[in-house]
Amino acid sequence: MKKCFGEYTAHNGDRMEDFVVFDNVYKRYKMGEVTITAADGVTFSINEGEFAVVVGLSGAGKTTVLNILGGIDTCDEGKISVGGRDVSRLSGKDLVAYRRYDIGFVFQFYNLIPNLTAKENVELATQICRDHLDAAEVLDSVGLSDRKDNFPSQLSGGEQQRVSIARALAKKPKLLLCDEPTGALDYNTGKNILRLLQSKCKQDGMTVVLITHNSAITPMADRVIRMRSGKVTENVHNPTPLPIDSINW
């Protein structure tokens, strides 16, 4: 792997700047008289269309970074830009619009509505978007063509996670953010989910940011960002990412 910052060659051959940029970002939380610095001068960049893995132990600051990038939380200092737009200063309706139109979330525990079918769960997300994909077609693309009328309780854990991925993809987001998406799954099912995310990134040119504590999956990433104690310790580009099936983890 090699360090890679600055400009890159986009899918159409044009030279473009980094798609996601964190520039000296801080986030502090007050717990009584104690101040915890969850993001301590975080600086990194991710190119458009990359599959980026942010890896670190529990408490490293990974989820804080993902939440700030996704507009769920805000930073105290620093600047975050996505596609050349400063999103760190968004507030109110602008922040809601950013989450609604630009970001797709995949969570560890699926967060599906239990009394809606798989298709209805995906359709619910499309109702808040101006430009979205057909729910049935997206479910087909994640291998659930014969399960779209089933309720979450009738689906396996892996199938529920595929529904949550379809729900995020249906919004046609600029960024797909994944918070430990295999954490609640067994080994084989988790591998299937990672294979799906990797293929979607490559086929659709989507920028994917996945956080994990499992460093064994980093060879599948285009970019690996390592964190410890709220700081980025390494941001490297991997010129030869491996298929998940060739990785033992």
Side-chain angles (χ1 to χ4, degrees), residues 171-193:
K171 295 173 58 182
K172 296 173 65 175
K174 294 178 181 178
L175 274 173
L176 184 64
L177 307 182
C178 308
D179 186 356
E180 298 274 7
T182 64
L185 303 174
D186 62 73
Y187 173 81
N188 288 326
T189 305
K191 204 166 193 176
N192 290 336
I193 293 300

Side-chain angles (χ1 to χ4, degrees), residues 95-103 125 128-129 171:
L95 189 59
V96 171
Y98 170 68
R99 288 195 301 264
R100 177 178 294 178
Y101 302 125
D102 294 349
I103 304 297
I128 65 171
C129 300
K171 295 173 58 182

Side-chain angles (χ1 to χ4, degrees), residues 71-72 74 85 87-101:
I72 295 176
T74 57
R85 180 189 185 193
V87 300
S88 53
R89 301 295 175 260
L90 297 180
S91 61
K93 291 182 178 180
D94 291 335
L95 189 59
V96 171
Y98 170 68
R99 288 195 301 264
R100 177 178 294 178
Y101 302 125

Side-chain angles (χ1 to χ4, degrees), residues 11-238:
H11 300 292
N12 61 6
D14 294 335
R15 299 291 292 182
M16 299 178 63
E17 293 182 353
D18 298 313
F19 186 62
V20 174
V21 178
F22 269 58
D23 184 9
N24 204 32
V25 171
Y26 287 83
K27 180 63 183 181
R28 305 177 185 89
Y29 297 99
K30 281 272 192 179
M31 298 186 67
E33 296 182 356
V34 178
T35 299
I36 297 174
T37 304
D40 190 2
V42 171
T43 297
F44 65 80
S45 58
I46 298 171
N47 293 342
E48 187 173 20
E50 284 188 328
F51 191 108
V53 170
V54 182
V55 63
L57 299 175
S58 178
K62 307 182 302 295
T63 298
T64 298
V65 164
L66 200 74
N67 288 344
I68 293 173
L69 179 57
I72 295 176
D73 206 345
T74 57
C75 63
D76 296 319
E77 297 178 39
K79 180 179 178 180
I80 303 130
S81 63
V82 176
R85 180 189 185 193
D86 184 356
V87 300
S88 53
R89 301 295 175 260
L90 297 180
S91 61
K93 291 182 178 180
D94 291 335
L95 189 59
V96 171
Y98 170 68
R99 288 195 301 264
R100 177 178 294 178
Y101 302 125
D102 294 349
I103 304 297
F105 287 102
V106 178
F107 299 101
Q108 180 176 346
F109 296 109
Y110 326 135
N111 291 341
L112 302 178
I113 297 177
N115 61 341
L116 296 182
T117 65
K119 183 181 178 184
E120 289 168 342
N121 266 280
V122 176
E123 287 175 335
L124 189 63
T126 65
Q127 291 176 11
I128 65 171
C129 300
R130 293 171 295 206
D131 181 25
H132 59 79
L133 301 175
D134 179 76
E137 291 180 0
V138 181
L139 285 166
D140 289 348
S141 76
V142 299
L144 292 176
S145 57
D146 59 343
R147 304 290 274 166
K148 46 183 175 278
D149 294 323
N150 290 88
F151 292 97
S153 62
Q154 299 171 316
L155 302 173
S156 68
E159 288 172 333
Q160 290 185 65
Q161 191 61 292
R162 284 175 180 267
V163 174
S164 73
I165 292 170
R167 178 182 58 194
L169 294 175
K171 295 173 58 182
K172 296 173 65 175
K174 294 178 181 178
L175 274 173
L176 184 64
L177 307 182
C178 308
D179 186 356
E180 298 274 7
T182 64
L185 303 174
D186 62 73
Y187 173 81
N188 288 326
T189 305
K191 204 166 193 176
N192 290 336
I193 293 300
L194 291 174
R195 185 187 304 113
L196 173 63
L197 291 171
Q198 190 178 44
S199 68
K200 283 295 177 185
C201 177
K202 300 306 177 189
Q203 292 171 10
D204 301 339
M206 181 175 293
T207 307
V208 178
V209 182
L210 182 150
I211 67 169
T212 182
H213 65 277
N214 186 0
S215 61
I217 70 170
T218 56
M220 72 177 288
D222 299 300
R223 181 172 299 276
V224 179
I225 298 166
R226 298 185 185 276
M227 294 192 66
R228 184 173 62 243
S229 301
K231 297 178 180 289
V232 171
T233 60
E234 190 176 41
N235 176 14
V236 294
H237 170 63
N238 177 13

